[in-house]
Amino acid sequence: MPAPRTRLLDDPWLTPYADVIERRAGRARDTITRLTGKPGPVALANFASAHEYYGLHPEKDGWVFREWAPNATNIWLVGDFSNWEIRPEYQAVRIPGRDVFEWRGAKDAIKHGQFYRLEVFWDSGRGERIPAYARRVVQDPETGLFAAQAWDPKPYKWKNAFVRPDVSPIIYEAHIGMAQETEGVGTYKEFADNILPRIKAAGYNTLQIMGIMEHPYYGSFGYHVSSFYAASSRFGTPEELKDLIDRAHGMGIAVIMDIVHSHAVKNERDGLACFDGTAYQYFHDGSRGWHDAWDSRCFDYGKTDVLHFLLSNCRFWLDEYHFDGYRFDGVTSMLYLHHGLGVDFTNYGMYFDSTVDEDACTYLTLANEVIHAVRPDALTIAEDVSGMPGIAAPLDEGGIGFDYRMAMGVPECWFKLVRDIRDEDWSVGFIWHELTNRRADERTVNYVESHDQALVGGKSFIFQMIDKEMYEAMHVGSNNLYVDRGIALHKMARLATLACSCAYLNFMGNEFGHPEWIDFPREGNNNSYHYARRQWSLRDNKGLYFKALGDFDEAMMQMMNKEGAIEGTWPRRIFASEDDKLLAFMRGELLFIFNFHNEHSLADYPLLVPPGAYEHVLDTDAEVFGGFGRIEQGQSYPVSIVERLEEQCFAIRLYLPARTAVVIRRTPPGGKKTRGATTLKA
C-alpha cells in the first residue's frame, strides 16, 4: 500500500494546472446532474440500466424488444421463428417522438434458444444487424456469421455470497480458450474444473479474465468487441460462466474481467459500426471515429446515448454475472486524441493540453462512479501508459477514480535489462526506481510480464533469456549457463516486483516460465492451436525446471500472504551498491536482499538493519527451486553492533551468492528476544 493519499492540488508540480483539474472534476459532476437530474453516484448508477430497457426481454405475458436507432426507418426481427424472412408480426415500430424502436410479441412468438437478427432499413439502404444489447450471440461454424440467440433459461442459483476482501490484489491474468493443454478452444467448465484449483493453490486472490465480451475474431484476444453485453459463446453458455465465477468466489477468489470501451470492431453486420446506416451513431464521424493503428472504431463519449450504453455495460456485468470489477483496456488511447501513439510523456503539461479528450476523461470518471456505487468493493484498474496524474485518485480529490493503474514501465524495465544491457552493467538504482516509481496519490499493479509480452512477434521474459535452449536444456541437472541465468533472474525479477508492489499481476503459465509465444490460429500458421494453449504438464514434471519455477512462485505467494507484507506498508530501501549490484529493502517486517551480480558472490557481507531478531524465510537459490543450494535454510542471523561515525548501529552478516535473492523475517525487540550482540568496528 502507498503512503496516505493527498489531494492532487496539494502537489506543487500540479499547481499550474489547478484550474484544469478543478474544471474536469466539475465537468464530471455536471454531467452526472445532466444525465440524471440529480447529483451523486447513486442517481448515476440508477441511470446506468439501459440493458434492462433495450434488447430482448421475456415478460410475464410475452416478449419485448427495443433498440436505439435514430437514423433507421424500419426494423424487423427475423430468425428461426420467421423462417429467416421479414414478416409483419415481427416488425418493431418507432416509439412516437423518440429514436427508439419497440416490438412486442406473445410468449410463443419466440422460444428459448432460437436464433435471430435484425433487418434495419434507412433512407438509402438496409443491413443485417445483431442487436446492440444482445446478451447471447453465437457464431455459425460453417458460415462464420453471428446470430443473436433468445436466452431465457431457468435463473442461475448463486451458491456463494462474496464480498471482495480489502487486501492487495494478487492477480492471475487468464484466457479461457487457451487455458487448456489440448489443441483447441477451452471452455468455461474446463477452466472451472482444471484451472481454478491451480490458481487457488498458487496463492492468487484475484482472477482476471480476458476475451469475455463477444468478438468475431478469436485471435484478437477479445480486444475487438462486437457485442458488449454478450459473454463469448465460443467458451460455453452464460450459466457456465456464472458457475465459474461462483466457484471462484467459493474459493475466496475475486473475478474481474477485461472491459474494452476504448474502441469497437469495425464490423457492420456483427458489431455497432454503421448500425442505423450512419457512421456516427455510436462513434465519432470522420477520421476521429477511426483508430488507424487498431483498425477499429472510436466511441463518441460526448453523446448521451453512448454514455447510457457504456455506463450500463459497466453495471451489467456486475449485476448479471457477479464480476468483482474490471481492468479497463486501452485507457491511454481513450484519454488522448493522438491515442498515445508515438508520444513520450515527458512533462506535466502534456496531461492538460488540447490533445486530451475531456469527454473520455468524463466518461471514465463516471464509469468509476457507477461501478463503485453498485459494488463498493469492486476493483477497477486502468491500463494507462501515460501516467496521467489522478487517474487512480478519487473524484473528490480531483481524480478519475480508478483503484489502480497498471505499472507498464516495470515490464519495460525488466525486458530492457535482459535484452539490451550486459549483466555487469545493470543498475540497481534503475531497478529500484522503476519498481517504486508511482505518485503518492495512486496505487499501481506491478508485473514482470502480461499477455502483451508473450504475443507472437515478441518473447516471454524467460524465452528472451534462454531462447532455443528451452527446447533442449530445461531438464534438471542440464548445467546450461543460459538456463541457469534464466531461471535465476526469472525468480529474482518476480520476487522484487511483487515485494515492491501495491498489487501484482501474472499471466497464466508465466509463473512457471511457459515456453514460446502466444499465437492464435490464423492463415499464417495454418490455423494451428499449437501456440494457443498452456502446457500444464511442464509445470507438473519433476524432471524439468518449469516445476521448480512454479514451486518458487507458489512459495513466494504463500510467504507474502502469510506475512501480510504488502498490506498497509511501503517498500523502504535500506541499502544499495552499484559496485556489488546489491539491493536491500524492507516491506513490513520482511527484509529483501538481492545480489544481481552475474559472477561475484558476497561472503560475510555486513548490512545495517533495524534492531531485532532475523531469521531466513525464503531464497531463490534453494535446490527445490532450481538453484544450487548454497544458502542454509531456516538459519538465524546474529545481530552485531557496528560503530559508525560515533554511533552504534545494528548489523547482520550475510552470504549472498551471485544472482540470488534472500528474504529474512525480522522480529522486533520485545516480540522475540534478540540474540546477544558483539561490538565491531566498521
Side-chain angles (χ1 to χ4, degrees):
M1 301 288 286
R5 287 180 171 178
T6 57
R7 287 181 53 83
L8 289 179
L9 299 183
D10 292 337
D11 183 346
W13 291 98
L14 296 180
T15 300
Y17 313 104
D19 58 335
V20 180
I21 294 171
E22 291 177 333
R23 176 172 52 77
R24 287 178 182 172
R27 195 174 191 269
R29 296 188 184 97
D30 291 345
T31 302
I32 294 174
T33 303
R34 175 175 65 81
L35 295 175
T36 67
K38 300 177 182 178
V42 174
L44 187 65
N46 292 333
F47 168 80
S49 56
H51 53 287
E52 302 299 343
Y53 180 77
Y54 293 110
L56 181 65
H57 299 280
E59 294 188 328
K60 183 178 181 181
D61 299 322
W63 294 88
V64 62
F65 172 82
R66 300 185 188 92
E67 191 75 64
W68 172 61
N71 190 56
T73 55
N74 285 293
I75 295 179
W76 278 269
L77 283 75
V78 299
D80 295 336
F81 42 79
S82 69
N83 198 30
W84 296 98
E85 298 173 349
I86 292 177
R87 294 184 180 177
E89 61 267 34
Y90 291 100
Q91 182 179 8
V93 298
R94 184 185 289 270
I95 297 175
R98 299 186 60 192
D99 294 329
V100 178
F101 287 78
E102 181 181 83
W103 169 82
R104 289 183 178 273
K107 195 69 176 175
D108 61 355
I110 298 177
K111 295 182 175 60
H112 167 67
Q114 287 190 310
F115 295 101
Y116 71 102
R117 57 175 166 76
L118 304 179
E119 287 283 349
V120 180
F121 286 69
W122 51 89
D123 286 339
S124 58
R126 60 184 285 187
E128 298 178 357
R129 297 291 185 266
I130 301 298
Y133 288 82
R135 298 192 182 191
R136 171 81 171 161
V137 178
V138 179
Q139 187 175 26
D140 187 304
E142 294 183 2
T143 66
L145 298 177
F146 282 84
Q149 188 175 26
W151 202 252
D152 185 28
K154 292 181 180 179
Y156 178 83
K157 293 184 178 180
W158 294 89
K159 304 173 187 65
N160 297 292
F162 184 78
V163 175
R164 193 179 69 85
D166 186 20
V167 296
S168 298
I170 307 298
I171 303 167
Y172 200 84
E173 183 187 32
H175 183 277
I176 300 297
M178 62 175 291
Q180 82 300 325
E181 184 154 359
T182 56
E183 295 187 23
V185 180
T187 67
Y188 298 126
K189 186 177 186 307
E190 288 172 332
F191 192 97
D193 289 343
N194 304 323
I195 311 306
L196 274 182
R198 289 183 179 273
I199 297 171
K200 175 64 176 177
Y204 292 81
N205 61 30
T206 304
L207 167 63
Q208 177 184 315
I209 314 180
M210 309 167 62
I212 292 297
M213 305 162 85
E214 191 59 87
H215 47 288
Y217 179 46
Y218 184 48
S220 75
F221 240 139
Y223 292 126
H224 277 195
V225 175
S226 53
S227 294
F228 286 75
Y229 287 84
S232 182
S233 60
R234 56 173 56 88
F235 309 133
T237 67
E239 287 64 45
E240 288 168 338
L241 174 57
K242 291 175 183 179
D243 179 64
L244 187 164
I245 296 169
D246 202 5
R247 290 162 69 176
H249 287 168
M251 297 177 180
I253 298 172
V255 185
I256 65 175
M257 63 176 276
D258 270 10
I259 194 167
V260 185
H261 287 177
S262 49
H263 63 136
V265 73
K266 68 179 181 180
N267 299 29
E268 296 182 2
R269 186 192 181 280
D270 304 324
L272 299 176
C274 202
F275 188 90
D276 67 352
T278 64
Y280 49 81
Q281 181 184 355
Y282 285 94
F283 311 110
H284 286 288
D285 198 12
S287 60
R288 189 176 172 187
W290 287 94
H291 198 302
D292 293 335
W294 294 348
D295 195 26
S296 56
R297 301 304 312 274
C298 298
F299 285 105
D300 183 349
Y301 303 106
K303 287 181 104 171
T304 295
D305 289 283
V306 174
L307 290 175
H308 204 195
F309 178 83
L310 295 175
L311 292 173
S312 299
N313 194 236
C314 292
R315 176 161 194 167
F316 167 76
W317 295 99
L318 303 177
D319 288 348
E320 183 68 19
Y321 286 91
H322 292 198
F323 276 99
D324 303 300
Y326 304 102
R327 169 197 174 271
F328 275 71
D329 179 70
V331 168
T332 304
S333 178
M334 299 171 72
L335 288 173
Y336 304 94
L337 299 177
H338 50 61
H339 303 304
L341 299 173
V343 176
D344 292 326
F345 293 88
T346 56
N347 64 79
Y348 275 104
M350 301 176 74
Y351 304 121
F352 303 102
D353 63 19
S354 59
T355 66
V356 176
D357 186 341
E358 296 205 349
D359 286 337
C361 286
T362 297
Y363 164 66
L364 289 169
T365 305
L366 269 55
N368 277 284
E369 292 290 291
V370 166
I371 293 164
H372 291 115
V374 174
R375 283 281 303 274
D377 62 315
L379 172 66
T380 60
I381 303 169
E383 188 205 26
D384 171 43
V385 71
S386 76
M388 168 75 78
I391 198 164
L395 174 59
D396 61 10
E397 294 182 9
I400 291 177
F402 285 96
D403 296 307
Y404 292 84
R405 175 180 66 82
M406 299 291 287
M408 301 179 76
V410 173
E412 290 183 10
C413 159
W414 290 119
F415 276 78
K416 178 179 178 64
L417 288 172
V418 299
R419 184 186 61 233
D420 302 332
I421 300 176
R422 297 188 310 165
D423 292 8
E424 54 267 37
D425 294 332
W426 283 22
S427 166
V428 295
F430 171 70
I431 295 172
W432 174 256
H433 172 76
E434 291 298 332
L435 293 181
T436 59
N437 181 25
R438 49 184 173 263
R439 293 176 51 84
D441 56 69
E442 71 179 13
R443 294 174 289 185
T444 59
V445 179
N446 282 16
Y447 58 106
V448 176
E449 55 188 332
S450 67
H451 70 275
D452 286 328
Q453 285 72 36
L455 288 172
V456 67
K459 292 182 179 180
S460 66
F461 186 58
I462 198 163
F463 202 49
Q464 183 70 55
M465 294 184 287
I466 299 179
D467 202 69
K468 62 183 179 62
E469 303 296 327
M470 291 196 74
Y471 300 110
E472 301 175 354
M474 283 298 284
H475 56 279
V476 174
S478 62
N479 295 321
N480 183 287
L481 294 178
Y482 290 99
V483 171
D484 291 344
R485 172 181 182 262
I487 63 175
L489 293 177
H490 188 274
K491 291 176 287 186
M492 294 180 72
R494 277 165 165 71
L495 179 61
T497 302
L498 173 61
C500 288
S501 69
C502 307
Y504 177 80
L505 178 141
N506 166 73
F507 179 66
M508 67 174 182
N510 286 353
E511 73 276 12
F512 63 85
H514 197 283
E516 302 172 331
W517 49 84
I518 298 167
D519 190 11
F520 286 93
R522 56 188 173 84
E523 185 177 344
N525 65 12
N526 295 319
N527 294 310
S528 171
Y529 287 89
H530 181 74
Y531 298 107
R533 61 192 180 115
R534 297 282 93 176
Q535 299 180 59
W536 302 106
S537 59
L538 299 177
R539 166 68 177 90
D540 300 333
N541 191 328
K542 296 180 180 179
L544 299 176
Y545 283 125
F546 298 108
K547 184 178 189 306
L549 292 175
D551 287 348
F552 174 78
D553 196 80
E554 185 174 320
M556 177 178 71
M557 294 299 171
Q558 289 176 352
M559 175 193 69
M560 297 300 282
N561 291 336
K562 179 182 178 181
E563 300 293 334
I566 297 179
E567 314 306 328
T569 66
W570 185 257
R572 311 183 313 278
R573 189 177 73 173
I574 64 172
F575 183 74
S577 169
E578 295 292 355
D579 291 335
D580 293 328
K581 306 301 178 192
L582 190 73
L583 174 64
F585 60 89
M586 294 198 72
R587 192 71 189 264
E589 297 300 341
L590 292 182
L591 171 61
F592 298 84
I593 310 106
F594 294 82
N595 180 1
F596 284 104
H597 207 290
N598 60 312
E599 57 182 8
H600 292 161
S601 296
L602 302 172
D604 203 30
Y605 199 90
L607 185 67
L608 297 184
V609 294
Y614 289 84
E615 184 178 7
H616 173 279
V617 178
L618 182 73
D619 71 80
T620 61
D621 195 52
E623 288 187 68
V624 69
F625 301 140
F628 295 98
R630 293 168 290 183
I631 297 176
E632 179 185 346
Q633 302 297 294
Q635 65 178 296
S636 297
Y637 296 88
V639 178
S640 302
I641 296 176
V642 178
E643 293 183 355
R644 280 195 177 171
L645 301 178
E646 299 182 355
E647 290 185 348
Q648 289 189 335
C649 304
F650 295 92
I652 58 175
R653 291 186 177 273
L654 303 162
Y655 171 52
L656 300 169
R659 288 195 185 123
T660 296
V662 180
V663 185
I664 299 171
R665 180 192 297 110
R666 169 185 178 254
T667 301
K672 180 180 179 182
K673 187 175 180 180
T674 305
R675 295 177 183 269
T678 58
T679 302
L680 303 173
K681 290 289 184 180

